[in-house]
Amino acid sequence: MQQTAEWWKAIVESINDGVLAIDREGIVQTINPEYTRITGVTSDIIGKPLVSYRPGARLPQTLATGESQVGVYRKTHDREYIVDMAPVIIEGKIVGAVSVCKSLNEVQVLTQELEQQRKRVRELEEQMDALYKVRYVFEDIITKNNKVKELISVARKTAKTDLPILIKGESGTGKELFAQSIHHSSGRSAKPFIAVNCSSIPADMIENELFGHAGGAFPGASVNGRQGLFEMADGGTLFLDEVSDLSIDVQAKLLRVLQEGTIRRIGEGAERKVDVRIVASTHRDLDHIITKGLFREDFLYRLNTIALGIPPLRERKEDIPFITRSILNGKYRVDDEVKRLFMKYDWPGNIRELRNSLDYAMCLVNEREPISMGDLPDVLQKQHRLYCEEPKVFPLHAAVEEAEKTILQSALQSSGSTVEDRQEVARSLGISLATLYNKMKKYNMK
Ligand SMILES: Nc1ncnc2c1ncn2[C@@H]1O[C@H](COP(=O)(O)OP(=O)(O)OP(=O)(O)O)[C@@H](O)[C@H]1O
């Protein structure tokens, strides 16, 4: 028996939570060092009535009622902790009560960890949802333009194959719309479609994102290792948006995946087989960046097996009324002046800009009224003043500025953002780099 009492004492002293127990008279029988650490109460209390030492204690209540109390918040001086209290019952009789406490700091740390894990689970759930959610199909691509119709026909046929596809076109022309439609009408539609924006993932993280890592591969790596997007997209399609922003190293690794059909997680020796169809997109002229040594020619050849070049909206203005009607969805209409402006404007942001402008206008306009010039974003209203109004006495400098702005926008749109890219733009515009930067600042361009 003596040995058993010592045994239990040793256990109570070694556990990580604070423990205090009273007998049926409310006399403190034991406390452990953790209890002292958390509450500041020392072992002097042993043998004394708990209430005389700690008048606010709630443990005697549990002793009297036999009811447990869970998660009770306590604060004495500057110490905060959470207490669970339970009766000690032997052969059906209450013979005492025990309180087990945890410092609030620890509880907070654990709660924060739990919250972080919950957040991660929510994110993963959202990602999983997004994986299978392909919003667009070919029927969503609205066009009356023969070139785009021809592209849709080629894309429909090639969707059935596993060949890589490269979709070229300015920002907002519908490259992702095509990529999703291709996935949807391929034999892979029941499997994931994963879109990766190569320009938004930092260069030192992209490999990890694409290929995953082995357990403990680098500081901060997960212990059990992590799948990359290739493995997550297995059986489906990986859409590499803005592929030209990948480093030469990563391009070499992707070329290997295209050739061998295998990937290697960071820090892992073995190759893993993956069955993923690659669809890539770019708004840049890849031949041009090959000459600058920023894109691998062999990778381009491989990607380029099927190339779809989507024309900008300004080259297929016949689509504007139809796309407009579809966006307005029968609830709104545009007046004649707006219609004329839409046909004259160059739409540097293409269909995305058209969609955003109409979304903006729909927020402002009364449903029964047609959308008029005053409902449009400023940039369009300015264009209207330039194009549509009779230039009776028109300030020439304003016209020059607008023209300059449009030309700059279009030149910057099809280039990258490095200093070399900017030098290239400056050269093609016949101005110095400093002048280019000054003008970008003046017009608030990035
Ligand atoms: N032919 C079309 N008919 C209807 N909507 C279109 C069409 N083309 C594009 N859109 C719409 O325009 C917007 C931009 O399309 P998307 O994101 O596919 O362009 P993107 O070329 O991939 O752009 P970015 O290069 O900036 O990623 C989307 O809202 C899309 O639904």
Side-chain angles (χ1 to χ4, degrees):
M1 185 66 201
Q2 177 63 24
Q3 197 194 3
T4 313
E6 276 172 13
W7 166 254
W8 283 112
K9 189 165 182 286
I11 290 179
V12 169
E13 293 205 344
S14 67
I15 60 179
N16 238 347
D17 292 337
V19 177
L20 175 146
I22 53 175
D23 64 12
R24 82 180 74 192
E25 315 302 335
I27 308 294
V28 177
Q29 292 299 318
T30 186
I31 72 168
N32 69 354
E34 191 60 13
Y35 193 88
T36 303
R37 192 185 68 77
I38 295 171
T39 63
V41 173
T42 63
S43 56
D44 297 349
I45 196 176
I46 294 176
K48 296 180 184 136
L50 177 63
V51 278
S52 67
Y53 216 83
R54 291 171 68 80
R58 287 171 58 174
L59 192 58
Q61 215 174 306
T62 292
L63 184 66
T65 61
E67 277 173 19
S68 299
Q69 302 179 61
V70 178
V72 177
Y73 168 77
R74 305 287 292 165
K75 182 169 183 189
T76 46
H77 307 296
D78 55 348
R79 295 164 190 267
E80 291 177 275
Y81 48 96
I82 299 286
V83 195
D84 289 346
M85 287 161 272
V88 179
I89 299 172
I90 297 178
E91 290 174 358
K93 287 198 182 119
I94 300 174
V95 296
V98 59
S99 85
V100 178
C101 63
K102 244 190 196 321
S103 138
L104 200 58
N105 281 345
E106 287 159 29
V107 174
Q108 273 167 345
V109 169
L110 288 173
T111 311
Q112 270 171 10
E113 261 175 35
L114 182 66
E115 199 35 57
Q116 271 176 1
Q117 293 306 327
R118 283 199 179 129
K119 202 171 146 217
R120 177 84 187 125
V121 169
R122 278 198 300 273
E123 280 170 7
L124 287 172
E125 278 172 355
E126 277 170 23
Q127 274 180 17
M128 289 306 289
D129 271 2
L131 293 186
Y132 290 90
K133 237 182 247 158
V134 165
R135 281 181 301 150
Y136 295 120
V137 294
F138 282 121
E139 287 68 27
D140 293 318
I141 304 177
I142 298 168
T143 192
K144 296 285 163 195
N145 178 274
N146 287 337
K147 189 164 174 205
V148 180
K149 283 185 189 167
E150 177 58 27
L151 289 176
I152 295 174
S153 148
V154 173
R156 272 186 196 280
K157 285 180 201 145
T158 50
K160 310 285 176 212
T161 73
D162 283 339
L163 293 171
I165 297 186
L166 179 63
I167 308 174
K168 301 187 250 184
E170 289 178 13
S171 180
T173 45
K175 297 186 291 297
E176 177 150 5
L177 193 73
F178 264 84
Q180 290 198 11
S181 308
I182 288 167
H183 173 78
H184 186 262
S185 68
S186 74
R188 297 171 173 269
S189 59
K191 296 285 184 172
F193 171 90
I194 299 186
V196 200
N197 188 333
C198 303
S199 61
S200 68
I201 301 177
D204 56 343
M205 284 174 62
I206 187 91
E207 247 185 87
N208 184 28
E209 287 296 318
L210 292 173
F211 305 121
H213 60 255
F218 47 82
S222 93
V223 186
N224 300 320
R226 211 189 89 179
Q227 277 195 340
L229 296 174
F230 266 100
E231 285 177 72
M232 288 164 90
D234 200 23
T237 305
L238 191 61
F239 175 49
L240 298 173
D241 197 4
E242 291 316 335
V243 71
S244 61
D245 286 350
L246 292 175
S247 71
I248 288 277
D249 272 2
V250 176
Q251 290 170 31
K253 289 191 172 135
L254 285 172
L255 179 61
R256 248 184 74 75
V257 182
L258 285 172
Q259 282 164 345
E260 314 290 333
T262 56
I263 58 119
R264 194 157 51 206
R265 289 187 183 185
I266 298 174
E268 199 171 70
E271 300 273 340
R272 291 169 185 253
K273 190 134 197 62
V274 285
D275 167 25
V276 174
R277 204 267 180 88
I278 302 248
V279 178
S281 82
T282 181
H283 73 276
R284 299 179 69 184
D285 176 355
L286 293 183
D287 289 323
H288 178 62
I289 59 173
I290 284 176
T291 60
K292 297 208 279 180
L294 295 173
F295 206 81
R296 290 181 65 115
E297 203 168 2
D298 46 5
F299 184 45
L300 175 62
Y301 284 147
R302 193 76 200 193
L303 279 183
N304 226 357
T305 318
I306 299 160
L308 306 174
I310 308 181
L313 191 55
R314 64 182 168 278
E315 288 174 18
R316 47 174 167 133
K317 288 196 167 167
E318 65 272 37
D319 283 346
I320 292 172
F322 296 95
I323 296 176
T324 301
R325 205 168 303 147
S326 146
I327 295 170
L328 299 180
N329 200 16
K331 288 198 193 124
Y332 300 87
R333 61 208 157 89
V334 289
D335 72 12
D336 289 343
E337 202 173 22
V338 170
K339 278 183 196 159
R340 277 195 297 275
L341 170 70
F342 278 12
M343 295 307 280
K344 282 191 173 180
Y345 183 52
D346 266 352
W347 299 106
N350 294 292
I351 299 152
R352 179 176 295 110
E353 188 183 8
L354 174 60
R355 184 177 284 279
N356 290 347
S357 307
L358 287 169
D359 283 344
Y360 176 93
M362 284 188 279
C363 287
L364 297 191
V365 75
N366 181 330
E367 242 181 80
R368 272 175 295 242
E369 304 285 319
I371 289 170
S372 63
M373 208 52 71
D375 303 316
L376 296 179
D378 276 356
V379 59
L380 286 173
Q381 293 195 36
K382 272 193 193 154
Q383 290 297 324
H384 169 66
R385 285 195 285 279
L386 270 177
Y387 297 147
C388 301
E389 282 176 354
E390 285 294 306
K392 288 166 203 144
V393 185
F394 195 78
L396 198 54
H397 71 90
V400 170
E401 280 190 350
E402 280 306 324
E404 193 170 71
K405 204 167 141 190
T406 309
I407 292 167
L408 276 174
Q409 256 168 354
S410 142
L412 291 168
Q413 164 106 46
S414 52
S415 88
S417 54
T418 64
V419 176
E420 291 79 35
D421 293 326
R422 298 294 194 230
Q423 261 162 346
E424 188 69 33
V425 171
R427 241 193 318 275
S428 65
L429 294 174
I431 55 178
S432 72
L433 185 61
T435 309
L436 175 68
Y437 279 129
N438 282 337
K439 289 192 186 296
M440 284 168 68
K441 195 167 164 209
K442 176 175 169 189
Y443 298 124
N444 202 12
M445 293 173 176
K446 295 213 173 75

